[in-house]
Amino acid sequence: MKLVRYGKPGSEKPGLIDADGKIRDLSAHVADWKGDALSPQSLARIAALAPASLPEVTGNPRLGSCVAQPGNFIAVGLNYADHAAESNLPVPKEPVLFNKAPSCVVGPYDDVVIPRGSEKTDWEVELAIIIGSRASYVEEKDALSYVAGYAVCNDVSERAYQIERSGQWMKGKGCPTFGPLGPWLVTPDEVGDVQNLSMWLDVDGERVQTGSTKTMIFGVAHIVHYISQFLILEPGDVITTGTPPGVGMGMKPPRYLKPGNVMTLGIEKLGDQRQTTVAWSA
């Protein structure tokens, strides 16, 4: 299934995409895509519905984040060896973890705001994992059974805040609008081999990132297993899993986003995003 949230910010409704690409309203069956609505039992109940029996959503509504604001939004850094190299950092021996603020989550086509005083806002196309079952101390062999689905994430980053302002990376990762997520949550049965998906990102029509999830240092199952050793993952939590090379920080000379730039990005089987950057205003 491809699950969506549509409508104005703060008033999104749950839906699914039918075989013809139309949005079908699910608000009579589920309140929102969050928490236990993403459990295996809930998703099985939704999968048993006939899409044609659900109301068709007409027009061209805005798509919100494919999950409601998560309790945890965890990111894995330097998870592609070639990206670590362009960042002049060693390949990590264990996953590098940091937090993105749940409040940074926005829809896949919403504007991205350049933070006040920013000079080094950057892009990162990433595979996001959405958790469907409470996970604590899970074994790697069982880890994928805790996943509700996958989505595209743009892990927008302010490099000066992240790297030059001391402390932890989260300062450059959780600014408002720095977490476009969607357009859909795609359930694992439609994704197939999650470790073999092509991914890309363009800035103003120029291809800057090309990669594949097959080159991840730590795969999805290991990431879910690993994080669950340190904290409890709850249904609706989001994990974004690292980016391939081609970020602005790694260019020579470095290249960063300015107001008016357009980012388009996507991952095979998970859909595409498009954001325009805008200047911060009070």
Side-chain angles (χ1 to χ4, degrees):
M1 293 184 292
K2 293 183 176 71
L3 307 178
V4 297
R5 298 173 67 250
Y6 66 94
K8 295 180 180 180
S11 301
E12 294 92 344
K13 294 182 178 181
L16 62 77
I17 304 294
D18 69 15
D20 297 320
K22 299 175 181 177
I23 300 175
R24 298 285 180 165
D25 178 35
L26 279 169
S27 56
H29 301 273
V30 63
D32 204 351
W33 292 129
K34 63 180 181 179
D36 289 339
L38 294 166
S39 70
Q41 297 78 11
S42 173
L43 295 184
R45 179 173 58 83
I46 297 300
L49 300 172
S53 70
L54 302 169
E56 179 183 339
V57 178
T58 58
N60 187 30
R62 167 190 173 270
L63 295 186
S65 163
C66 58
V67 293
Q69 189 176 97
N72 283 307
F73 191 175
I74 302 165
V76 182
L78 304 175
N79 198 29
Y80 290 71
D82 36 13
H83 173 56
E86 74 172 350
S87 302
N88 296 312
L89 294 168
V91 173
K93 295 180 180 179
E94 296 186 32
V96 174
L97 305 181
F98 58 91
N99 291 319
K100 288 179 74 75
S103 59
C104 81
V105 173
V106 291
Y109 309 114
D110 291 345
D111 291 341
V112 165
V113 178
I114 305 291
R116 182 172 64 180
S118 167
E119 295 182 354
K120 296 183 179 181
T121 297
D122 205 347
W123 56 83
E124 296 188 13
V125 58
E126 302 199 5
L127 169 77
I129 306 164
I130 293 88
I131 297 297
S133 300
R134 195 171 194 261
S136 178
Y137 296 113
V138 304
E139 298 293 331
E140 186 166 345
K141 64 182 177 61
D142 302 321
L144 294 183
S145 68
Y146 291 81
V147 175
Y150 304 97
V152 181
C153 177
N154 190 352
D155 177 20
V156 185
S157 309
E158 212 296 335
R159 302 302 188 186
Y161 299 173
Q162 175 190 356
I163 298 169
E164 300 170 21
R165 298 284 293 272
S166 75
Q168 298 186 356
W169 286 6
M170 63 176 294
K171 287 190 288 189
K173 293 288 190 171
C175 302
T177 73
F178 271 25
L181 197 63
W184 317 302
L185 183 161
V186 185
T187 52
D189 57 298
E190 288 206 15
V191 174
D193 184 2
V194 71
Q195 299 300 161
N196 191 25
L197 303 176
S198 60
M199 52 203 308
W200 57 273
L201 186 145
D202 294 350
V203 178
D204 293 339
E206 176 189 350
R207 182 63 45 91
V208 291
Q209 286 191 278
T210 303
S212 170
T213 58
K214 67 185 177 183
T215 66
M216 290 167 65
I217 298 167
F218 305 106
V220 168
H222 184 77
I223 288 169
V224 173
H225 151 75
Y226 182 84
I227 295 174
S228 78
Q229 308 307 301
F230 303 102
L231 55 87
I232 296 172
L233 292 166
E234 298 283 5
D237 284 353
V238 174
I239 306 167
T240 191
T241 59
T243 196
V247 300
M249 179 178 64
M251 293 183 171
K252 300 186 187 311
R255 172 181 169 187
Y256 296 111
L257 295 165
K258 304 296 182 185
N261 289 144
V262 176
M263 294 177 284
T264 51
L265 58 147
I267 299 178
E268 182 182 0
K269 299 183 180 180
L270 302 183
D272 301 340
Q273 297 186 358
R274 182 183 189 278
Q275 297 106 32
T276 300
T277 55
V278 299
W280 178 88
S281 62

